[in-house]
Amino acid sequence: MSMDLDDAPVSIAPVGMQQNTATILCCNCGAAIDGTQATGALCFDCVKLTIDISAGVQRESNLQFCRDCNRWLTPPTSWVVANPESRELLALCLKKLRGLAKVRIVDASFVWTEAHSRRIKVKITIQDSVQDGVLLQQTFEVVYIVTTQQCPECAKSYTANVWRACVQVRQKVLHKRTFLFLEQLIMKHQAHRETLNIKEAKDGIDFFFSAKNQADKFVDFLNSVVPIRMKKAQELISHDTHTSKRSYKFTYSAELVPICKDDLVALPIKIAKQYGNISPLVLCHKIGTSIYLLDPQTLQTADISASIYWRAPFLGLADTQSLVEFIIMDVELTGKQNGKWRFAEVTVARAVDLGVNDKTYFTRTHLGGLLQAGDSAMGYLLEGTVFNNPEFDAMEASSVYSSTIPDVVLVKKHYPRKRRNRRRNWRLKRMAKDEGELLPKKADQERMDNEYEMFLRDVEEDEELRAALALYKNEQQEQVEEEEEMSMADSDEGVDAAPHVDMDELLDDFDELTMQDA
């Protein structure tokens, strides 16, 4: 029996059924994988085991660290500050590795290591596409060996004759009061932070810099705080004949005016007439961008700028080393006042004359608001004193000014202190200077200590001077107990009642690692 083929039954696959996909076996482990998406006949597990996407990335590297300034080398020549396990240090570590530019960094973090091991470990996670676009991720560790190397700035500070600019600050006086004041201004404004070295010199200090622009900035700072006269010189140290390039060393000579605070000054009569006909015999009550003068007989003031002073310079008549202690016998206020100064007529006697003779002096002073009968004051004794000064000789020869010369000029109130170096609740920063060959002798060291002690007393007594400086708290264990004992002694004996600095005026942070405290 025959059958018509057209009438044979046809099998139709159910809806939703799909044909079986083609599979192949992994050539490494024999696992079945999709043949249409296979990566080189390898399964995904074998791809992870056989392909290393971090093969071209360094696993070890070196980091250069300068122990003097705590900076890290960023090739080729940059030095940056980075704290341990900081973002800056992590970025520096990643930049040091070759091959990271070809992959994608997913994550990076530090692995803890001992600080003394001089090793830094970084855990890095990267991604990269391999055969036929398969994305592969891998994590590995990199070890960095920390080596020490001096940066060029620190190397120059330990090597002679590497500076390119020097600022020589000089003042031709017998004491260092203005230099002590200038030192505190430099410390407060951090004007010396770019110096290679600071060296003591005769009549001043030398500041060395590695670049001329740094010295120019320091000179601008000096011009903004003290009256100076500036001179500049340069010296050729090398010349390249092929490129016509020259290297110079620059030297700046900054000379301060030879007049300090509390000095007695005899002005030239011509200059005195130009400044409101002020008396030629005046006191210097402050040194700033100008010389600030005061006539204690009339409370008249004048300020002479540095440019005007150096046109016709003059010297001081007497400095603070010539001060004499006087005892106030009588005070009579006249009612005249100029700012913080009050005019008064006083009768004084030298402290050494008490009990010896009855000689007294009558004078006028600007300290009427501070002095009372029985107080002590420091001043200049003009009677019987011979001054080798042409301006003072011209005053004595003048019929107008000879009669106005007083016998005594009072400068400031004197506070008796029970202890010469009493313990203070504050201290000042000092610059770390290289004394070089100018090591002070024992007598010179005592004189310098006395000058510094007088400067500290001026800071305590003068609020205006104290406002321009940076004072820091003196954190010592015995301070509170000693202050209480001193206050009790003051209330009982009436001595050591000198002005003191309030704690509200003091700063907290004091860098004891780089500065020496006073």
Side-chain angles (χ1 to χ4, degrees):
M1 186 175 75
S2 64
M3 179 181 293
D4 189 359
L5 293 177
D6 295 335
D7 296 335
V10 179
S11 61
I12 302 176
V15 178
M17 289 187 62
Q18 298 180 357
Q19 297 181 355
N20 294 331
T21 57
T23 59
I24 61 174
L25 299 180
C26 175
C27 64
N28 190 18
C29 64
I33 57 176
D34 187 357
T36 59
Q37 299 179 359
T39 304
L42 291 174
C43 65
F44 186 70
D45 294 333
C46 292
V47 169
K48 293 191 296 182
L49 293 175
T50 57
I51 298 179
D52 185 8
I53 61 175
S54 64
V57 182
Q58 284 182 281
R59 297 302 178 95
E60 288 188 0
S61 183
N62 294 331
L63 291 176
Q64 285 73 32
F65 176 70
C66 180
R67 290 184 294 184
D68 295 325
C69 60
N70 296 331
R71 295 190 299 174
W72 302 82
L73 174 62
T74 302
T77 58
S78 300
W79 291 82
V80 297
V81 178
N83 296 325
E85 298 190 4
S86 62
R87 294 171 58 91
E88 294 80 8
L89 183 58
L90 182 59
L92 176 61
C93 293
L94 297 179
K95 289 180 181 179
K96 290 281 293 184
L97 292 183
R98 293 192 302 267
L100 278 182
K102 300 179 181 179
V103 296
R104 178 189 176 190
I105 302 176
V106 177
D107 187 25
S109 60
F110 287 100
V111 179
W112 184 85
T113 56
E114 291 284 353
H116 63 271
S117 66
R118 313 300 294 176
R119 298 291 188 273
I120 295 178
K121 292 184 179 180
V122 178
K123 183 179 180 181
I124 304 176
T125 302
I126 60 175
Q127 287 182 352
D128 194 15
S129 57
V130 292
Q131 302 175 7
D132 296 334
V134 175
L135 189 63
L136 193 61
Q137 179 172 309
Q138 189 173 350
T139 300
F140 60 96
E141 290 185 0
V142 179
V143 179
Y144 296 88
I145 302 175
V146 179
T147 60
T148 57
Q149 176 182 341
Q150 269 191 337
C151 64
E153 288 77 9
C154 294
K156 288 180 180 180
S157 64
Y158 292 99
T159 308
N161 301 323
V162 297
W163 55 271
R164 287 295 176 265
C166 174
V167 180
Q168 301 174 348
V169 185
R170 299 289 186 269
Q171 187 182 31
K172 299 178 181 179
V173 293
L174 298 177
H175 54 87
K176 300 290 185 181
R177 295 189 65 188
T178 303
F179 269 106
L180 293 173
F181 172 66
L182 179 60
E183 177 186 4
Q184 295 304 315
L185 293 179
I186 293 175
M187 297 296 298
K188 179 180 180 180
H189 299 280
Q190 293 293 310
H192 67 301
R193 62 181 178 271
E194 295 178 336
T195 56
L196 294 177
N197 190 18
I198 302 175
K199 187 176 181 180
E200 288 273 5
K202 184 180 179 181
D203 296 331
I205 306 176
D206 293 341
F207 297 85
F208 298 93
F209 299 88
S210 60
K212 177 178 177 293
N213 58 347
Q214 298 173 354
D216 291 334
K217 188 180 358 179
F218 185 76
V219 168
D220 294 339
F221 172 78
L222 294 179
N223 276 311
S224 65
V225 293
V226 289
I228 61 174
R229 175 173 62 177
M230 186 61 57
K231 293 182 180 179
K232 178 182 176 182
Q234 63 183 24
E235 177 186 0
L236 180 65
I237 57 176
S238 65
H239 179 205
D240 190 346
T241 57
H242 299 284
T243 60
S244 298
K245 290 185 178 180
R246 296 176 174 86
S247 297
Y248 292 92
K249 280 188 175 181
F250 300 89
T251 303
Y252 298 84
S253 176
E255 183 179 358
L256 278 70
V257 294
I259 297 175
C260 301
K261 183 177 180 292
D262 295 335
D263 283 359
L264 185 64
V265 180
L267 293 175
I269 296 178
K270 181 179 179 181
I271 294 180
K273 291 181 178 180
Q274 293 176 354
Y275 282 87
N277 202 21
I278 191 174
S279 173
L281 190 64
V282 291
L283 280 174
C284 176
H285 68 89
K286 186 176 69 171
I287 290 291
T289 55
S290 302
I291 306 172
Y292 296 91
L293 305 174
L294 167 69
D295 181 9
Q297 303 290 317
T298 61
L299 300 187
Q300 188 177 354
T301 60
D303 56 293
I304 301 177
S305 62
S307 58
I308 296 178
Y309 172 82
W310 290 113
R311 293 177 191 172
F314 52 87
L315 299 176
L317 187 63
D319 56 25
T320 54
Q321 296 179 352
S322 304
L323 289 175
V324 179
E325 183 180 355
F326 293 91
I327 304 299
I328 308 301
M329 311 301 294
D330 185 29
V331 179
E332 183 179 352
L333 297 176
T334 62
K336 188 176 180 180
Q337 186 173 355
N338 183 3
K340 64 179 181 179
W341 300 304
R342 298 185 64 182
F343 192 68
E345 296 178 348
V346 298
T347 302
V348 299
R350 288 198 307 174
V352 295
D353 291 341
L354 293 180
V356 178
N357 55 55
D358 298 333
K359 188 171 184 178
T360 59
Y361 303 93
F362 174 80
T363 187
R364 297 178 177 87
T365 181
H366 60 291
L367 304 175
L370 299 175
L371 299 179
Q372 296 179 358
D375 290 344
S376 298
M378 304 299 293
Y380 298 104
L381 179 61
L382 304 184
E383 185 186 28
T385 305
V386 178
F387 297 101
N388 186 16
N389 188 283
E391 282 74 21
F392 187 76
D393 295 340
M395 285 183 59
E396 291 182 327
S398 174
S399 58
V400 178
Y401 298 107
S402 59
S403 59
T404 62
I405 299 177
D407 296 334
V408 174
V409 177
L410 298 182
V411 177
K412 59 182 179 178
K413 184 177 179 179
H414 177 62
Y415 298 92
R417 287 172 169 84
K418 186 169 55 177
R419 298 174 181 173
R420 179 184 175 276
N421 292 317
R422 65 168 187 165
R423 189 177 298 277
R424 296 177 170 89
N425 62 343
W426 57 275
R427 54 183 175 175
L428 298 173
K429 286 184 178 180
R430 302 298 304 276
M431 281 193 305
K433 299 184 289 292
D434 182 12
E435 295 177 347
E437 299 178 356
L438 298 176
L439 293 176
K441 300 180 181 179
K442 183 177 180 180
D444 294 336
Q445 186 63 43
E446 293 179 356
R447 177 181 57 82
M448 294 169 59
D449 293 341
N450 291 332
E451 292 175 357
Y452 189 69
E453 172 64 22
M454 296 304 298
F455 177 73
L456 296 180
R457 294 183 182 183
D458 290 341
V459 173
E460 288 178 333
E461 299 170 6
D462 193 344
E463 294 183 3
E464 186 178 355
L465 174 63
R466 193 161 63 241
L469 308 181
L471 281 66
Y472 297 87
K473 294 180 180 179
N474 191 2
E475 303 291 347
Q476 296 189 4
Q477 298 285 341
E478 304 174 356
Q479 179 62 35
V480 177
E481 298 178 359
E482 185 168 353
E483 289 294 333
E484 292 176 355
E485 295 175 0
M486 294 173 62
S487 62
M488 293 175 60
D490 294 343
S491 61
D492 296 338
E493 302 179 12
V495 295
D496 205 12
H500 62 278
V501 181
D502 296 334
M503 296 297 292
D504 297 339
E505 304 179 38
L506 305 181
L507 302 177
D508 292 325
D509 53 330
F510 189 93
D511 189 2
E512 297 183 356
L513 297 179
T514 58
M515 305 299 173
Q516 54 184 355
D517 54 353

